[in-house]
Amino acid sequence: MSQNAHLRSKAEAEAARLPPLLAQAEHLAGTVLLGEHGRRRSGLGDDFWQYRPVQPGDSLRMIDWRRSAKSDAQFVRQREWQVAQSVMLWVDAAPSMRFASVKDGVTKRDRARVLALAVAILLIRSGERVGLTGTLLPPRRGEGQILRLTEMFLRDEDGDYGTPETKAMLPHARALFVSDFMGDFDAFSEALTKAADRGVRGVCYQVLDPAEEDFPYRGRAVFESMGGTLAHETRKADDLRQRYIDRLAERREALRHLCRVTGWQYGTHHTGDSAQSALLWLHRALENRG
């Protein structure tokens, strides 16, 4: 097979994954009533916030030509409501999120992607701008952004555990981080602190498999990271249970404390539980601007 044919085959395989994820998210979003949030807010939009460089996706009518004439770059006049109604998403795509304790069961990755995309659909269709943390996909409105988010969510990352990306976060925007948060805690702390320093408030949503909560393993077992870089063999897995449960409780409490001191909210979800109730909680949490 030629290189071009291989690339085309790979692209077609990736494209085939778009409809199922989007369909699941659309169906899930349809179960949540928008209520008052579905109405465009009045009385906002006149307060100047800042000038920012033109980004991909900005239309010509958004450019402030008077400000742009003073330099070699083009600038957009950004109003306060545009920042206040921007939501930045980070969904952990590291190998640890591929875990499912039941064969052909829902992986943490699948549940995280569906929830995040459903949240994005609700927000975009109520007039808000949604994008990804980092620089690859700035917040935008419109149905086209939903497709772009779907495509980005299907990308995987290397390394056993993920770390939130906090580059180019808009000051005073909102954010949603979805992960198992099993990786380097110092990296999570640094990312959340940087976001909070820019006035960003949001939600850390921890997605776990039920087996990661209960640790049902007994006897001889080999525990291996999804990325294959870590492994531990034991003849008495049940002897590890209490230590594991204690460590998980410590990690959860550390996350709660980190969110509390940075002004974020913390929530947790098991893949064996209802995705609808999880989405409803997330939607309400992101509506809480306090």
Side-chain angles (χ1 to χ4, degrees):
M1 180 183 292
S2 68
Q3 184 176 7
N4 288 340
H6 175 72
L7 290 175
R8 180 178 179 180
S9 176
K10 185 176 180 181
E12 289 175 348
E14 288 297 311
R17 298 166 64 195
L18 285 175
L21 173 59
L22 185 55
Q24 289 180 59
E26 290 271 13
H27 176 75
L28 185 57
T31 65
V32 175
L33 297 176
L34 290 179
E36 291 298 317
H37 185 68
R39 302 178 184 176
R40 292 293 182 90
R41 293 177 176 84
S42 60
L44 295 175
D46 293 330
D47 295 332
F48 171 73
W49 179 258
Q50 64 181 1
Y51 288 110
R52 65 163 175 80
V54 169
Q55 297 174 344
D58 291 336
S59 62
L60 289 177
R61 63 183 177 81
M62 296 173 64
I63 298 174
D64 188 298
W65 296 107
R66 180 177 297 180
R67 171 64 181 85
S68 301
K70 298 178 182 180
S71 67
D72 294 331
Q74 293 178 331
F75 291 89
V76 168
R77 181 181 177 89
Q78 196 169 23
R79 293 182 172 85
E80 186 173 5
W81 69 272
Q82 292 176 313
V83 175
Q85 290 190 326
S86 291
V87 181
M88 316 283 287
L89 306 177
W90 174 71
V91 180
D92 193 345
S96 71
M97 295 294 288
R98 302 174 198 165
F99 177 70
S101 57
V102 179
K103 185 179 180 181
D104 298 326
V106 178
T107 65
K108 294 183 290 182
R109 177 184 63 179
D110 290 343
R111 181 56 55 84
R113 288 170 170 175
V114 167
L115 286 174
L117 187 57
V119 165
I121 289 171
L122 291 175
L123 293 171
I124 287 174
R125 291 182 179 168
S126 61
E128 304 208 32
R129 305 157 70 94
V130 181
L132 300 180
T133 59
T135 58
L136 292 179
L137 191 60
R140 300 172 188 152
R141 293 191 182 89
E143 294 295 312
Q145 185 73 342
I146 294 174
L147 291 174
R148 287 186 285 268
L149 285 165
T150 304
E151 183 178 1
M152 295 296 290
F153 284 157
L154 289 172
R155 298 185 180 184
D156 292 324
E157 295 179 1
D158 297 325
D160 280 314
Y161 302 101
T163 301
E165 171 64 81
T166 55
K167 293 179 181 177
M169 295 198 76
L170 296 175
H172 305 287
R174 285 170 292 156
L176 170 62
F177 291 171
V178 188
S179 172
D180 57 11
F181 295 104
M182 292 289 198
D184 182 3
F185 183 79
D186 289 340
F188 296 137
S189 180
E190 181 180 358
L192 214 60
T193 301
K194 283 183 178 179
D197 287 344
R198 294 181 65 80
V200 177
R201 296 293 181 267
V203 178
C204 282
Y205 203 55
Q206 187 177 31
V207 176
L208 298 174
D209 184 277
E212 292 176 317
E213 186 77 41
D214 301 331
F215 200 84
Y217 307 106
R218 300 290 184 271
R220 182 180 180 277
V222 178
F223 299 99
E224 186 175 9
S225 64
M226 297 300 295
T229 61
L230 302 171
H232 176 75
E233 182 176 358
T234 179
R235 294 181 180 275
K236 295 183 178 180
D238 40 317
D239 288 350
L240 300 176
R241 185 172 187 272
Q242 192 56 52
R243 277 185 287 169
Y244 170 83
I245 289 175
D246 290 343
R247 289 288 297 274
L248 180 61
E250 290 173 6
R251 171 57 61 97
R252 183 171 290 152
E253 182 54 38
L255 286 167
R256 283 198 187 99
H257 177 73
L258 177 61
C259 289
R260 192 161 51 244
V261 298
T262 54
W264 283 49
Q265 297 182 72
Y266 168 78
T268 185
H269 171 72
H270 297 152
T271 54
D273 294 340
S274 165
Q276 182 179 347
S277 62
L279 177 60
L280 188 59
W281 187 93
L282 283 171
H283 189 245
R284 289 173 175 170
L286 286 169
E287 278 290 87
N288 181 9
R289 298 169 184 265

